[in-house]
Amino acid sequence: MEMNKVIEVKNLVKVYGKRSAAFKALKNIDLDIYEGESVAIIGKSGSGKSTLMHLLALLDKPTSGTIKIEGVDSTKLRARKLNRLRNRSFGFVFQQFFMNPNDTVLENVMLPLKIAGTKRKARRELAKSALKTVGLEERIKFKANDLSGGQKQRVCIARALVNNPSIIFADEPTGNLDSATGDKVIKLLFNANKKGTTLIIVTHDEDLAKLCSRQVRVMDGKIVEDTGAKELKKATRAAAKAAKATKSTKDTKSSTKTAKKGAKA
Amino acid sequence: MGLFEIIKTANHNLFRNKVRTFLTILAIFVGSFTIVLNVAINAGVNSFIDEQTASLGGEDYIMIMAEGSVSTLSTMMGAGNSEPQEYDPNQTMTAFTNEQLEKLKNIDGIDGDTIYAVKQAPVEYITSDKTDKKYTISVGAMPPGDFSIASTAGGLPDNDSDEAQIMLEPGYAEALGFGSDENAIGKTVTLTVLDNVTKQPTSFKAKVVGVQAKGVVAVNGSVISRKLEDDMVEAIYATMLKTQSRDQLFKPYAVQARFDTDKYTEQEIKDHLQENGFYGVTVSDMMGTIRTFFDVIMIVFTIFGGIALLAASIGIVNTLLMSVEERTREIGLDKALGMSSGKIFLEFAVEAIALGFWGSALGVAVAMIIGNIVNVAVHAPGGFLEAFPTFNLFEFTPSNVVPIILVVMFIALLAGTAPAWKAAHKNPIDALRYE
């Protein structure tokens, strides 16, 4: 099976503040994320994991470096295309939910479609079916404020799913939930992942991270561990061995080098 | 997200914080209300003044005298602006000569066909068969041209008719025993004149065709048809005509005429006349300082309205800025989910316009209700405009109300620009993290 890169990050740097007050939150990050992966970005608070996610999700601009989304260099995109890319390709789940508390559940779920300019009727249908997926079809007329925390997060997942995104970003999705409701939320996220959506979870919860197919550990603005890179190393080694039999050694060497570089960073 | 959707969302957002929105709308309401009333009273006063101008003869009316008669006649005609005139033995009433009348016809800007002599037809008294009392009255015919005199019933006499007709001054209908102005229409009154020399009375019957409304400027008495005026003049000069020629006797001291208002200003016409030894008095001379007086009052009103509106604009800025602060996270979410800065700007701008619309529409509606109630109240018995039935204090028309709503909406848009800009340019992440 050939793996497509959905996110390709090269030499990513993010600096907050200026001159003497400058703080380097991300230091020359390289990271490739493949279609259908479930990636946990792990790290303590202040490690840079949230910054990394914000940059991957194009919510913030990097100081330098490139982020390619499905092969398109986002740093070269104009605001309009960037907005459209976020609107169509991404789904967001936040720890603090971020809902419009006085709007109904349905209205909250319809928001991305409203922004996309989807027709009213289609919007309702899609939102209803997304709410069905998270088991809240009975609550569509409730005010978002009147829901429990777990229900709120499920509404947020419905909102993230409604535009059928290729990537879902979840920032501490269970951070504000007890373990029982958290499990439900996690199940929903991984269900979406099974159907082919790439899942990127930012968390400090090791148990949650273990559920993901790949763990990326961030510390002091650098990636200190990437299980995907190991997998990749293995895969490239296997490929190299296979190739050795047929092809010249030059190609294999260079590809191993890139893999090593990725692991180091 | 289409424009309709944005307008809907903006209105929806406004009614989310009802108290704040209500207070802002109230502030705009007060401003618009003041301005609407001010504009309406301005329109009311202006149309009343226009009516007065028309009653005095209209914009193109001019009374012309020979230069020598100036002080005498202008004092006679002038309402409000007459200053003490120094005595001048040469300044007496001098009648027009035939040559002067011919010359007048050819003066640039004066319509020669409309020249009509002011005749002297003093009426001794007026009475009717409904009363035993006799009243003094001054009468005169109107010169050619378009005329309208504000009336409470009927209208002006028909100058082309041979029938003797009269439009009474205010108050005469009641005094002559007809009960009301409406009742007087079609009734007959008797006007009696005396022969200049013998004092022999002659009575004329005249049909009442109209009753004038009271105005601020006195119209020259009751208006009679020209035929009646001519007949009365004949009766008054009956004895003198036996010895003197008609030409000699009926030389006018003053003539009325119309001038070309499109080509010349009043002053230019007056200058033309002066060059030829004549003196002209226009309606604005007769109106005198009344118009200026009203204009000053209106300027004061407008300033108050403007200040109220300025205060309201600051209210809009305040409301929207608070709204931006309060909804920072929401803006952040909208932006994270791909809403463009332009749409967010538009949403807040539309909110501002909606505030302006609701405030001014409410102001207009309430002003119209109150204005119309006041209009009725001031004309009721005991009201301070009871005597001026045609004076509508507040006049509301689409042309004076709709622009106010539009202007207030525009001011609201200007006031909402800064907060809208602030909202549109928030970084989605900073906005989401906002506590």
Side-chain angles (χ1 to χ4, degrees):
Chain A
M1 192 183 89
E2 196 173 315
M3 300 235 276
N4 291 323
K5 285 179 189 172
V6 284
I7 302 182
E8 201 177 342
V9 171
K10 282 230 163 66
N11 211 13
L12 197 66
V13 174
K14 177 71 185 177
V15 181
Y16 290 113
K18 274 172 190 164
R19 288 190 202 100
S20 60
F23 168 68
K24 219 172 184 184
L26 291 179
K27 300 164 186 168
N28 308 80
I29 298 256
D30 291 321
L31 181 67
D32 292 339
I33 292 170
Y34 295 88
E35 191 181 342
E37 271 193 305
S38 56
V39 182
I41 299 177
I42 327 157
K44 293 191 177 124
S45 71
S47 59
K49 64 180 191 304
S50 288
T51 305
L52 178 58
M53 191 211 96
H54 294 152
L55 289 177
L56 295 182
L58 310 180
L59 292 173
D60 208 348
K61 285 208 164 99
T63 309
S64 66
T66 57
I67 304 166
K68 279 186 184 168
I69 306 289
E70 288 167 331
V72 182
D73 186 353
S74 69
T75 49
K76 289 200 176 103
L77 284 181
R78 302 181 65 169
R80 226 180 112 183
K81 288 215 164 148
L82 205 67
N83 284 332
R84 192 181 293 173
L85 184 66
R86 264 207 316 266
N87 181 256
R88 301 216 170 141
S89 310
F90 297 168
F92 291 100
V93 178
F94 297 99
Q95 179 178 6
Q96 306 91 325
F97 317 133
F98 295 132
M99 307 172 79
N100 296 329
N102 293 317
D103 286 346
T104 64
V105 165
L106 190 68
E107 280 168 328
N108 268 292
V109 175
M110 288 194 303
L111 186 61
L113 301 175
K114 192 174 162 187
I115 291 168
T118 311
K119 288 253 163 62
R120 183 159 271 279
K121 227 179 165 182
R123 222 193 271 174
R124 287 183 79 89
E125 290 313 310
L126 287 166
K128 275 184 186 168
S129 99
L131 278 165
K132 206 171 181 183
T133 313
V134 300
L136 285 174
E137 67 268 38
E138 307 288 323
R139 297 278 192 274
I140 55 169
K141 282 184 180 155
F142 276 53
K143 281 221 166 148
N145 229 3
D146 297 339
L147 299 178
S148 70
Q151 285 173 331
K152 277 181 188 166
Q153 198 59 303
R154 277 150 69 197
V155 171
C156 289
I157 290 172
R159 185 179 67 195
L161 292 174
V162 77
N163 55 347
N164 196 23
S166 48
I167 308 168
I168 289 181
F169 291 96
D171 188 359
E172 301 280 11
T174 57
N176 277 353
L177 306 174
D178 61 58
S179 57
T181 48
D183 287 348
K184 224 179 218 171
V185 163
I186 289 162
K187 212 172 161 191
L188 287 168
L189 286 174
F190 280 100
N191 278 346
N193 179 240
K194 266 176 212 152
K195 284 176 190 155
T197 311
T198 309
L199 181 63
I200 299 173
I201 301 179
V202 172
T203 185
H204 63 266
D205 180 351
E206 297 287 348
D207 293 335
L208 173 55
K210 271 177 199 153
L211 296 173
C212 295
S213 64
R214 176 178 171 195
Q215 290 80 33
V216 176
R217 198 172 296 274
V218 181
M219 197 186 280
D220 297 331
K222 283 187 257 178
I223 293 177
V224 291
E225 186 197 343
D226 183 350
T227 57
K230 276 184 206 159
E231 300 285 319
L232 195 65
K233 229 176 178 175
K234 274 184 204 161
T236 21
R237 264 187 201 152
K241 269 181 191 170
K244 222 177 185 179
T246 50
K247 275 190 171 180
S248 74
T249 41
K250 254 188 182 176
D251 291 339
T252 344
K253 255 186 186 170
S254 66
S255 70
T256 324
K257 251 183 194 170
T258 3
K260 263 185 187 166
K261 214 179 182 183
K264 235 184 186 176
Chain B
M1 214 167 154
L3 189 63
F4 177 69
E5 198 95 52
I6 288 174
I7 292 172
K8 247 181 75 180
T9 312
N11 261 316
H12 178 80
N13 287 340
L14 277 181
F15 287 95
R16 231 194 255 171
N17 198 324
K18 291 186 189 70
V19 177
R20 194 173 59 214
T21 302
F22 172 75
L23 289 176
T24 313
I25 287 179
L26 197 69
I28 301 166
F29 159 80
V30 171
S32 326
F33 175 78
T34 318
I35 291 209
V36 171
L37 279 190
N38 158 56
V39 167
I41 204 168
N42 208 339
V45 167
N46 272 328
S47 74
F48 180 63
I49 289 180
D50 286 346
E51 193 182 274
Q52 301 297 304
T53 308
S55 296
L56 286 171
E59 297 283 347
D60 60 346
Y61 175 86
I62 189 160
M63 180 171 274
I64 304 160
M65 289 148 278
E67 191 91 71
S69 317
V70 173
S71 67
T72 327
L73 259 177
S74 66
T75 311
M76 229 169 81
M77 294 292 308
N81 64 339
S82 58
E83 289 163 16
Q85 301 279 327
E86 204 176 327
Y87 172 71
D88 180 352
N90 295 324
Q91 281 215 346
T92 50
M93 294 287 276
T94 38
F96 282 93
T97 62
N98 285 337
E99 294 78 42
Q100 278 180 312
L101 283 174
E102 273 311 306
K103 200 166 148 192
L104 195 56
K105 275 186 191 168
N106 298 317
I107 287 178
D108 201 13
I110 298 284
D111 183 354
D113 297 334
T114 58
I115 294 176
Y116 187 75
V118 176
K119 292 171 185 171
Q120 302 293 313
V123 173
E124 195 62 16
Y125 61 83
I126 184 171
T127 188
S128 80
D129 51 11
K130 296 276 196 297
T131 177
D132 296 331
K133 290 189 177 147
K134 296 166 178 172
Y135 296 92
T136 58
I137 191 167
S138 78
V139 299
M142 279 295 190
D146 282 334
F147 257 109
S148 69
I149 289 186
S151 66
T152 51
L156 280 164
D158 180 5
N159 276 332
D160 299 327
S161 165
D162 276 348
E163 192 182 37
Q165 295 180 345
I166 185 166
M167 184 188 202
L168 290 169
E169 286 170 77
Y172 275 80
E174 193 120 354
L176 291 169
F178 298 122
S180 72
D181 291 350
E182 283 80 13
N183 274 342
I185 305 297
K187 302 280 165 36
T188 305
V189 292
T190 308
L191 298 157
T192 301
V193 298
L194 299 183
D195 184 288
N196 261 351
V197 182
T198 64
K199 303 297 172 195
Q200 179 72 34
T202 313
S203 288
F204 292 89
K205 299 267 180 216
K207 190 171 110 183
V208 178
V209 291
V211 180
Q212 296 169 18
K214 195 166 176 182
V216 284
V217 183
V219 178
N220 279 336
S222 297
V223 183
I224 55 174
S225 49
R226 281 189 216 162
K227 175 75 167 47
L228 178 59
E229 187 178 53
D230 290 340
D231 290 347
M232 292 199 307
V233 171
E234 290 288 331
I236 292 164
Y237 289 88
T239 310
M240 287 172 91
L241 276 168
K242 283 175 189 159
T243 54
Q244 292 177 53
S245 80
R246 192 169 290 267
D247 260 10
Q248 200 66 40
L249 273 178
F250 293 160
K251 259 182 197 146
Y253 288 91
V255 297
Q256 303 163 322
R258 305 246 158 223
F259 64 93
D260 191 340
T261 49
D262 295 332
K263 264 164 89 180
Y264 301 104
T265 64
E266 280 180 24
Q267 197 51 51
E268 282 166 346
I269 290 290
K270 284 180 184 173
D271 291 345
H272 288 172
L273 288 169
Q274 199 138 25
E275 285 159 20
N276 290 287
F278 299 106
Y279 183 79
V281 177
T282 60
V283 170
S284 39
D285 293 328
M286 301 181 211
M287 295 287 290
T289 48
I290 290 170
R291 188 149 215 154
T292 325
F293 172 68
F294 278 117
D295 283 349
V296 169
I297 293 178
M298 287 315 129
I299 288 168
V300 172
F301 271 120
T302 311
I303 290 171
F304 284 148
I307 292 171
L309 210 58
L310 188 72
S313 316
I314 294 167
I316 296 172
V317 178
N318 190 32
T319 298
L320 290 177
L321 272 178
M322 280 168 72
S323 193
V324 171
E325 291 299 318
E326 199 173 80
R327 274 152 54 200
T328 301
R329 280 179 167 209
E330 196 184 320
I331 294 165
L333 180 66
D334 283 344
K335 294 195 86 168
L337 296 183
M339 198 188 269
S340 67
S341 301
K343 292 254 165 76
I344 289 174
F345 179 85
L346 202 60
E347 206 176 287
F348 275 85
V350 169
E351 268 186 51
I353 294 173
L355 280 172
F357 172 76
W358 291 117
S360 59
L362 204 66
V364 165
V366 175
M368 283 178 81
I369 291 167
I370 291 182
N372 283 316
I373 290 171
V374 170
N375 273 347
V376 173
V378 294
H379 291 123
F384 81 98
L385 286 182
E386 187 192 355
F388 303 96
T390 56
F391 186 4
N392 262 327
L393 199 55
F394 298 104
E395 214 162 79
F396 302 97
T397 58
S399 66
N400 68 19
V401 160
V402 173
I404 292 175
I405 297 182
L406 294 178
V407 165
V408 172
M409 282 167 78
F410 181 69
I411 291 173
L413 174 64
L414 289 185
T417 307
W421 184 262
K422 191 180 173 190
H425 287 81
K426 281 192 178 292
N427 184 341
I429 270 307
D430 294 340
L432 275 175
R433 281 196 189 134
Y434 184 87
E435 293 295 328

